[in-house]
Amino acid sequence: MDRAQIPKILKSPANWGRKYSLWAVYFCTGCGIIEIPPVVTSRWDAERFGVIPMATPRQGNLFLITGYVSLKTLGAIIRTYDQMLNPKYVVGFGSCPVNGGMYWDSYNTIKHLDQYVPVDGWISGCMPRPEAIFIAVTHLWTLIDKGLADGYKRYKDNYDFYCANQRRVLPHLPKFACGTGTETATAPATLRMPT
Amino acid sequence: MEIAVLLSVALLGAMAVYVAGRFSARGRNALAVLVALAVMVGVALLYGRGVRMAYYRLPILDATLVLRSNPLAWFFAMAVAAIGFFSILFSLEYMKGHARLGFYYAAMLVVNGAMLGIVLSGDLISLYVFWEIMSWTTYLVISYRGGRAVAAGLKYMVMSIIGSCAMLLAIVSVYVHCGTLEIAALAEPMQSASTGFALFILLMFAIGFGIKNAVMPLHTWLPDAHSEAVSPFSAVLSGILVRMGMYGFVLIMYGVLGLGLLARFGSGVLSFGYLFAWVGALTIVIPTFTALLQDDSKRLLAWHGVGQGGYMILGIAMATPLGIAGGIFHTLNHCIYIALLFLVAGAVEYRTGGIRDLNQLGGLAKRMPVTFVGGLAGICGLIGVPLTNGFASKWLIYKALIADGHPFLAFAALVGTWGTILSVYKFQHNTFLGQLPERYKDVKEVPFVMQLPILLLTAAILVFGIFPGIPLGAIGAIQRSLGLEALRVGAFSVPPEVGELNTITILAAVAGGCLVPYILFRLCRRSRTVAQADTYGAGAYAPADRYQYSARFYDRAYAVIEPYVRDRVDAFYYWLVEKSEGVFEAARHLYGGNVNTYALYIMLFLALILAVGFGWGL
Amino acid sequence: MWVVGIIALPLLAIGVSVFFLGVSRKVTARIQRRYGPPLYQPVIDVVKLLAQEEHVSHGMVFDAGMVLALGGSLATVLFIPVGGLHPLSAGGDLLVILYLMLLPPLGLALAAGAAENPNASIGVSRKLILALGYEVPFLLALLAVMTQEGTTSLVAIAEAQQPSVLEWGLVRAPLSALAVALVLPAMLGLRPFDMATAPQEIASGTLVEFGGKYLVLAALQGALHTYIVIALFVDLFLGGGANVLTFLAKMGVVFFGGLLINAVYPRVRIGQALRFCWKWPTLLALLGLVVVMVMGR
């Protein structure tokens, strides 16, 4: 930490904390996850950036959507995202969240992730190298500093838009309440186990 | 005079309740509460007064039957009256809708009165009579529910009778030796008894009181009886009824025999005190670890009833002021928190339709908060968390053991706490924490008349934990009345030569310590509460009724612990019963039903008598 | 004078434990031949968690449990002598400390139970079984030390070891010290005994629903628990400390040893952990107690 940083830290300690302590939810959404273990282990050492994997979404504030998003996975992604606590950042990792990537003509994947959950940044590539992940992290730091990493605020403000899109592809999705104050947790009757 | 009035009210009131039950249920309930309350007030008024009343003269044995009150008697009488009152209060709502309620209330009050009679008796015949009354009325109330409770009651009755026979043998021997039956007058003649005779008396009484107090290996009746009885009576049973055995131990060991005589029983490792302490240590370790294998909430608590008795025995086996005070104090404390826990288990039973199976409950803290807090206080007392009464008495016992140089006994006592922690956390978690099953989502809190005993007992746990000097003052009076050295304590601290314990310091430290995180807590944003289903499920939606971890809560530990705590004593007793039944079955065949055979028996027996008579020149 | 102790001791404890947290991550990283986060990384984490814009709770038991857990740890800290600082030792001896150490796990177990998650319940069950495992040799060793010194006061035990290295518990009761050293990783929740909060198996166990301020309380409680256990070990076996600095130096050495073991060992199963704790450490501690009793005659 160099001396020039200290005034910035004192001005906004919250931003300092959020930047240098990005905890990634260790949810392996797709094939892109194969790039994450090398990143967090000794060779590329993400921990020196403050990025460590966390097992539960309650503790994670960075969500890397790695690889293609099938409809089933989208349900889990939405539920995991709803369980994360604000402020939270989503990064689309690989070409598939951006525009469908390799599966651009599949019936079972979604093509544009940011219609369903708000995305703060994209990393293109199939797969992106670990260095690309680190560059993305530093870009995210800049966004956090400038206050532009506000995907979670967009989610709250445009909740109906996102919810409508989610319901369009996943009509029976049971969702958790995510603090927007407008919706409560719903459980469809089909999800009750037969007694 | 007051004692006679008190006992008459207690026993005749029971009859009156039964009669009143024939006319009006409400009248019967009100009368039962009144009788229990009057008894409690009457006992409270006896505080500090040593009264003695000869109430009957038995011409046959030239004996006077006496009732008396001294500090020891008052201490136990107060516990009896209080727990009796609380259980009657609890029964008002809990037993609604059951059959034969007049019989139930009458029997409860008779048990209450009989226990009062035991502690207030001044002579051995009264003690024995009241002991027997208590035994069979207990059997009646245990088997009140029918079904498996009858077998449990029968097991209790058989073992209790064996104990009573041993006691009777001891009483008769004492009478033959001392010529008097009055307890206060027994101490002097017993000093001149031979060591063997005194040891014999002590052992016979120990069998009787040991069976009642559920000392290992005489404990096997307790888990069945306490779990099958109705919950208010389980509270009485586990709380104070088994501690009648403790009263007996203290009375005989220190009231009749005294320290000097006790010291004569062997020396060093083979002394009565040391072996008795090891029995206590065994009684702590095995039952507390058996409890964590149980799936029935009341059976789990019943095994703790056995286990904690070991602490009391460890305490009084150490013939030091610290130890005896600790043992008697633990009797009172255990009475409070085990009664509380049985009432809590009963409250849960009441609202869930009789469910005792811990694998089927869960999450009830949200629906029954008062019961949850009561359960929490009870388990904290049982574990011995600082600031609860259990900690104060356990501290005294540990200190007595370590100061006297018995680290292995202290180890047994300390490791028993860990068995307790595991088993009662399982009880609390499986009942109150975790996810609430769908079928219990409309469960309500118990009515206030059932909450009242729970709240009062919780308050007692905290008050006696923060101010242990209050009951220890009464215990000091007991020690002085028995001719022992009393333990000097302040209201909330012990003097430096005894040790370092200051409950107000601990309270301040914990309160101050909790203040810091609380401030931190409030400085952050307020949290929002989420629904039960909104919990981590790896991105999946948790299915209702399928997301609770309760069954086989300590699965991995069972394989390691189970071989050690299998109830081999119970198996042994059942084997004994089977073999005896074989013998009795063989003896039955003597009764052939054939008159000619009977005539032959008579002839043979006469011939035998003649032969014996001629042989001895009679 | 004791007012200074009451304020200084918890601050010292929190400072030292947070420092230990940072050191652990850095040292583990270096052992794994990478750079690792800066030493003040735990401070960054705590600031982030406290400054979160929302926190999620599962009810009052959840909240109260966590407050009780950290409160219990802070209360325990006040009773453990740190090289001359022991403001409240006249109110509680080693038995009181031993039982005050039950409050934090109780609070954590209540909060984890209230989290309505089977992962949390499994975590608590593993934590309690592990505690059952390590308490057996630990209690035997404690009793050996208490019998040897003839007192239950931790201050007296620490002061009796002051004169020279030969008076240390390590030298006078070596078997007991070895037994406790063997179960020290279990008491600290380090590998090979960190199955109670296993991230990979049970989604962090007891911590599964803890986010934001609750995680801060849990992390601080965990760090303070490390401090308490290591301080106890130093007071019992390593001669306490003539002053705070020597005490902290000894604590650092013990912690470093634990870190080295944590960095190279894998995790064992809870059944294996229980069997291990009840085998060699228990035998050693039992032998140590027998030796103390025989020599004491």
Side-chain angles (χ1 to χ4, degrees), chain B residues 9 84 93 103 106-107 295 318 391 403 412 469 479 482-483 488 566 570:
Chain B
V9 165
E93 275 291 328
F103 161 76
D295 277 331
M318 293 293 121
F391 174 68
Q479 286 175 302
L482 291 171
R488 287 177 33 238
R566 211 174 295 153
D570 205 26

Side-chain angles (χ1 to χ4, degrees), chain B residues 497-514:
Chain B
E497 61 267 14
V498 175
E500 290 98 13
L501 177 69
N502 187 323
T503 47
I504 294 291
T505 309
I506 300 176
L507 175 66
V510 172
C514 285

Side-chain angles (χ1 to χ4, degrees), chain B residues 154-173:
Chain B
L154 202 60
K155 199 166 164 182
Y156 159 77
M157 198 61 196
V158 167
M159 295 188 74
S160 194
I161 288 178
I162 296 175
S164 303
C165 289
M167 238 170 76
L168 191 59
L169 184 58
I171 291 176
V172 170
S173 313

Side-chain angles (χ1 to χ4, degrees), chain B residues 258-536:
Chain B
L259 272 178
L261 201 54
L262 280 177
R264 281 199 275 154
F265 295 145
S267 62
V269 171
L270 276 179
S271 60
F272 173 78
Y274 196 66
L275 289 171
F276 196 37
W278 270 105
V279 167
L282 200 66
T283 313
I284 295 177
V285 175
I286 295 187
T288 44
F289 280 86
T290 315
L292 68 91
L293 302 172
Q294 305 302 319
D295 277 331
D296 179 337
S297 61
K298 285 172 64 174
R299 213 176 160 83
L300 194 151
L301 295 173
W303 275 107
H304 282 295
V306 182
Q308 298 290 311
Y311 282 96
M312 303 168 208
I313 293 188
L314 264 184
I316 62 167
M318 293 293 121
T320 57
L322 204 57
I324 298 175
I328 301 181
F329 192 22
H330 201 75
T331 313
L332 175 68
N333 293 338
H334 175 80
C335 158
I336 295 175
Y337 49 67
I338 206 79
L340 174 60
L341 283 172
F342 270 110
L343 292 182
V344 161
V348 168
E349 246 187 309
Y350 177 67
R351 280 301 190 201
T352 58
I355 301 290
R356 273 163 34 195
D357 185 359
L358 287 173
N359 296 340
Q360 293 187 29
L361 297 168
L364 288 173
K366 297 186 278 271
R367 307 292 316 167
M368 303 173 77
V370 173
T371 316
F372 169 71
V373 169
L376 187 61
I379 69 170
C380 286
L382 193 52
I383 295 172
V385 166
L387 301 178
T388 58
N389 56 3
F391 174 68
S393 55
K394 279 191 180 176
W395 187 90
L396 289 172
I397 296 176
Y398 296 149
K399 193 84 181 135
L401 289 171
I402 297 176
D404 244 13
H406 298 288
F408 289 102
L409 291 171
F411 170 69
L414 284 164
V415 96
T417 303
W418 276 96
T420 310
I421 292 175
L422 264 74
S423 44
V424 297
Y425 180 73
K426 172 173 157 173
F427 170 78
Q428 190 78 353
H429 173 273
N430 286 9
T431 313
F432 293 111
L433 301 173
Q435 294 216 341
L436 184 65
E438 281 286 305
R439 55 184 178 273
Y440 300 136
K441 66 175 169 23
D442 292 320
V443 154
K444 292 199 299 276
E445 181 60 269
V446 287
F448 180 70
V449 77
M450 286 169 86
Q451 286 178 32
L452 190 61
I454 293 180
L455 291 169
L456 288 173
L457 288 169
T458 306
I461 290 181
L462 290 171
V463 167
F464 286 168
I466 300 179
F467 297 105
I470 301 177
L472 281 172
I475 295 175
I478 295 179
Q479 286 175 302
R480 275 188 292 271
S481 77
L482 291 171
L484 304 163
E485 190 191 322
L487 181 70
R488 287 177 33 238
V489 288
F492 48 79
S493 66
V494 295
E497 61 267 14
V498 175
E500 290 98 13
L501 177 69
N502 187 323
T503 47
I504 294 291
T505 309
I506 300 176
L507 175 66
V510 172
C514 285
L515 193 62
V516 170
Y518 182 69
I519 293 177
L520 193 65
F521 202 76
R522 293 304 289 242
L523 284 175
C524 298
R525 289 270 170 103
R526 242 187 124 75
S527 44
R528 62 178 169 100
T529 312
V530 293
Q532 172 174 290
D534 187 356
T535 186
Y536 172 78

Side-chain angles (χ1 to χ4, degrees), chain B residues 366 384 386 395 398-399 407 417-418 421 425 429 434-435 500 502 513 521 525 527-530 535-536 553 556, chain C residues 53-55 57 71 91 93 99 102 109 113 115-117 121 124-125 131 135 143 152-153 203 209 213-214 270 293:
Chain B
K366 297 186 278 271
W395 187 90
Y398 296 149
K399 193 84 181 135
T417 303
W418 276 96
I421 292 175
Y425 180 73
H429 173 273
Q435 294 216 341
E500 290 98 13
N502 187 323
F521 202 76
R525 289 270 170 103
S527 44
R528 62 178 169 100
T529 312
V530 293
T535 186
Y536 172 78
F553 197 72
R556 297 288 165 238
Chain C
E53 292 182 14
E54 68 171 355
H55 308 277
S57 156
D93 57 0
Y99 273 72
L102 293 177
E116 294 154 336
N117 195 307
S121 307
V124 174
S125 136
E135 282 288 331
L143 283 166
T152 58
S153 158
E209 284 287 307
K213 54 186 176 180
Y214 301 96
I270 185 64
M293 288 213 66

